[in-house]
Amino acid sequence: MSLADIKAKISTESQAEIQAIESEADEKVRQINQELNAEVKSVKDTYASRFAKEEPEVLRRREIVAGIDANKLDLGVRRRLVDDAFAASLRKLADLPADACLKFASRLLKEAVSSGHEAVVVGKDEKHLNQGWLDGYNAEHGTSLTLSQERLPISGGFVLRDEKIDTNCSWEMLLEDVRPEIESEVVKKLFS
């Protein structure tokens, strides 16, 4: 056998071996792809099955969350309306006619005075509670209350100051004090 024959034989055998290896590799790739496709199908089927089972629960939960959100919005609107009602009450107190304001403030002052020597601090825009009103109160009750030069950011009423103790009789404080007691009635009137 000549060298050319040996080379040809080796080449033929190598080509056959290469084809056998390629064939084997192609078969392995086909098997791996088949296994992967089966696994992918299994995973898809599992998720589809789980979703089909869980879909009603997911929808139920969404409905519950939507209901909670709607209730929160409703409650927020109701809270705002109640706050608006109390704000309107505050405006109404601030707009009391002079005689009603003076009577009401005098009754509050009578309840709040302890020593009779306190200072009365009124709001920045107070129209009715002035030195004349306080002089009349002092004469009628035998007190020596003074009108403070200090003005507070309140819509009406006063703060009675005795050294380190303040008694807040502002309209804001009166409404804040009475609100817990009457809020349920306000809610009933607004929403029934």
Side-chain angles (χ1 to χ4, degrees):
M1 209 184 248
S2 72
L3 187 57
D5 289 339
I6 294 173
K7 281 185 181 180
K9 185 177 178 186
I10 291 174
S11 177
T12 304
E13 287 174 359
S14 295
Q15 284 300 325
E17 203 174 313
I18 288 171
Q19 283 179 349
I21 291 171
E22 283 179 347
S23 242
E24 192 179 315
D26 287 345
E27 180 59 26
K28 282 187 179 181
V29 166
R30 190 189 62 71
Q31 284 177 352
I32 290 171
N33 279 337
Q34 195 174 22
E35 289 171 8
L36 284 175
N37 287 337
E39 195 173 325
V40 165
K41 184 181 181 323
S42 171
V43 168
K44 280 183 178 179
D45 290 347
T46 300
Y47 279 112
S49 171
R50 278 182 57 194
F51 180 71
K53 289 177 186 172
E54 293 177 8
E55 183 178 25
E57 181 63 19
V58 169
L59 293 175
R60 187 182 73 77
R61 287 180 184 167
R62 281 187 185 168
E63 197 173 302
I64 289 170
V65 169
I68 289 171
D69 288 345
N71 287 340
K72 281 182 188 177
L73 287 173
D74 183 53
L75 185 60
V77 168
R78 287 175 185 252
R79 169 64 41 211
R80 201 169 325 120
L81 286 173
V82 170
D83 290 344
D84 289 348
F86 279 96
S89 296
L90 181 61
R91 285 190 301 275
K92 197 161 190 142
L93 276 172
D95 292 338
L96 280 174
D99 58 332
C101 176
L102 295 175
K103 261 188 207 178
F104 186 47
S106 294
R107 284 195 347 239
L108 286 173
L109 194 56
K110 185 176 180 183
E111 293 292 320
V113 168
S114 59
S115 70
H117 301 288
E118 296 94 334
V120 177
V121 187
V122 296
K124 291 178 181 178
D125 299 322
E126 181 57 56
K127 300 174 270 196
H128 309 300
L129 304 181
N130 54 30
Q131 190 63 53
W133 162 74
L134 195 55
D135 290 343
Y137 180 89
N138 282 332
E140 186 178 330
H141 295 90
T143 56
S144 55
L145 301 172
T146 57
L147 186 64
S148 174
Q149 295 302 312
E150 179 185 0
R151 295 291 185 251
L152 299 172
I154 57 177
S155 62
F158 57 89
V159 172
L160 192 63
R161 189 163 285 160
D162 186 17
E163 294 180 24
K164 296 181 181 178
I165 299 172
D166 282 358
T167 304
N168 191 339
C169 295
S170 66
W171 300 162
E172 288 87 352
M173 182 55 69
L174 293 173
L175 278 176
E176 187 178 315
D177 187 48
V178 76
R179 185 171 179 157
E181 297 169 25
I182 66 169
E183 190 166 22
S184 62
E185 287 300 316
V186 171
V187 169
K188 282 179 190 173
K189 286 183 180 183
L190 285 174
F191 304 113
S192 54

